[in-house]
Structure formats: C-alpha cells, structure tokens
Amino acid sequence: MNIDDLKATLNKHGGVAVNNRFHVIFTPPAQSLLNLDVQSVVSQAVSGGFNLKNLVNDPRDISLLCQKVNLPGRSLSTAEYAVEEQQNSYPYDYIDDDCKMEFLVTNDMYIRRMFDNWMEGIYSPTKHVVGFKDDYAVDVVIQMLNKQNVPIYGVRLEKAYPKAISGFDLEAGNDGLLTLSVDWKYDKFVPEGALSSVVSAGNAVLDLIT
C-alpha cells in the first residue's frame, strides 16, 4: 500500500470519521417546552440548585447527557432453495439491530425521571393498561458529526420507545459517576444524509415546542 495514495484518498473523502462526535435528538411524548415536573422543581429548590433555567426543557440536554450510542446495523434474512441439486439462498426480509444508549445521571434525576414517566405511559403498572403506540412512540435521530460538528450521516429510528432502563448500583466508598442505560425498540431505521438528518432533527425539536 502506498501511503501517499492512502493520504490522498482520505483527504478526498474528508478524512477519517471519528466515533466521539454525535448528536442524539428526540422529544419524549409527555415532555413540553415548560418543565411541569413539580417534584423535580421542588427538589431542586430545597437542595439550593434551582434557577429559572430549570423551568424550561432544553432539547440539547438529552444530547449532551448521552455518552454512548450504537448506530444500529442491518442484516438480510435469507431462505435456502435447491436448483439442480445446488443450494442457493435468496433474501426475503431484513432485520435491524437493537439500539442502546447510555446517559449521565444528574442530581435532579432528570434523565431517570424522564424515562420512568415514559415507560409508565407505555404500560401502567397500577392500571394494567397498555397505551396506544402513537402516544408513546417517537422518532429518534442519531447524527454522526465531523470535527466541525457538522452532521455527515445519520439514522432516524421510526416509532421508537424505551424497552428497558438499567438500575443503579449504589455502594459506600465509591464516588463514581452514575449512568443510565436504555434499550430501544423501533419499527425500522432510515439512513439519512447530512441535509435530511438536519431536517429530521429540526422536526424533533419542533415537537417539543408544539
């Protein structure tokens, strides 16, 4: 391999993509522009950590707190058939990988409360009632960014919702950071280019305002 040819190829395609620049954008179904979580506001006021910014749900908070996400892959389902004693395969469907995210947990339990409320909207443990999918599923946009923080590729998870959230391991003598893992289910993912991903992200933010 000629190193100069490799450098020229990398430069032609904008350099090597990195895995530590990304955005995750979605609006939880029960969330609005104003923070209506009374318990959270009172808790912040009692602890002395309240300010007027706590009354507004900033859509950037979710992306900033997301520390890890896997961009799902896709595989083809195939079936075997014989043609003149030779085995062949043909594709008939595709399977999308599950998606998992990891979030930093803040002292107001913002992320944990958000997903707790979301999952209760999917299935009520007190009423034993399952919600309507249109009421609890949202589109989730995952963007890969370049070093200038410009989207270069993205996927949109259609009709996504949290399937599982992790618990917390609390132990004396350990002052490590708390994180929350979330497993997602969705109907399908749609690959998006730079422009279409920006449009999808804008629509997700508009859902918060409207």
Side-chain angles (χ1 to χ4, degrees), residues 57-87:
N57 286 316
D58 191 332
R60 295 172 296 181
D61 291 349
I62 292 174
S63 184
L64 291 171
L65 292 173
C66 185
Q67 299 297 292
K68 187 186 300 184
V69 58
N70 69 295
L71 208 65
R74 174 172 286 169
S75 59
L76 291 172
S77 299
T78 60
E80 304 296 321
Y81 68 99
V83 177
E84 297 180 354
E85 299 183 354
Q86 179 178 345
Q87 289 291 327

Side-chain angles (χ1 to χ4, degrees), residues 45-133:
V46 171
S47 64
F50 176 79
N51 61 60
L52 292 178
K53 292 181 179 179
N54 298 127
L55 296 177
V56 178
N57 286 316
D58 191 332
R60 295 172 296 181
D61 291 349
I62 292 174
S63 184
L64 291 171
L65 292 173
C66 185
Q67 299 297 292
K68 187 186 300 184
V69 58
N70 69 295
L71 208 65
R74 174 172 286 169
S75 59
L76 291 172
S77 299
T78 60
E80 304 296 321
Y81 68 99
V83 177
E84 297 180 354
E85 299 183 354
Q86 179 178 345
Q87 289 291 327
N88 293 280
S89 63
Y90 67 93
Y92 64 89
D93 200 358
Y94 60 79
I95 302 173
D96 290 338
D97 293 342
D98 288 340
C99 181
K100 188 169 187 174
M101 298 180 188
E102 186 174 294
F103 296 88
L104 278 177
V105 178
T106 52
N107 275 326
D108 61 358
M109 292 290 145
Y110 165 66
I111 285 291
R112 178 60 190 249
R113 291 178 190 273
M114 182 188 74
F115 282 107
D116 282 344
N117 293 334
W118 194 339
M119 295 193 76
E120 282 199 21
I122 298 173
Y123 175 78
S124 172
T126 55
K127 299 179 181 179
H128 304 288
V129 174
V130 179
F132 293 102
K133 191 170 185 178

Side-chain angles (χ1 to χ4, degrees), residues 111-182:
I111 285 291
R112 178 60 190 249
R113 291 178 190 273
M114 182 188 74
F115 282 107
D116 282 344
N117 293 334
W118 194 339
M119 295 193 76
E120 282 199 21
I122 298 173
Y123 175 78
S124 172
T126 55
K127 299 179 181 179
H128 304 288
V129 174
V130 179
F132 293 102
K133 191 170 185 178
D134 285 345
D135 293 335
Y136 64 73
V138 302
D139 287 355
V140 175
V141 179
I142 305 171
Q143 296 177 333
M144 293 179 60
L145 311 176
N146 62 16
K147 293 182 179 180
Q148 289 73 43
N149 291 327
V150 176
I152 56 175
Y153 181 78
V155 298
R156 185 177 73 255
L157 311 182
E158 295 188 341
K159 296 290 185 181
Y161 60 92
K163 176 188 176 184
I165 59 176
S166 65
F168 295 148
D169 292 326
L170 308 177
E171 55 182 295
N174 187 349
D175 59 353
L177 300 177
L178 274 182
T179 59
L180 181 75
S181 295
V182 180

Side-chain angles (χ1 to χ4, degrees), residues 4-24:
D4 292 331
D5 290 343
L6 176 59
K7 288 180 178 179
T9 298
L10 293 177
N11 289 333
K12 181 176 70 174
H13 294 284
V16 178
V18 296
N19 66 351
N20 63 345
R21 291 180 181 269
F22 60 91
H23 275 323
V24 171

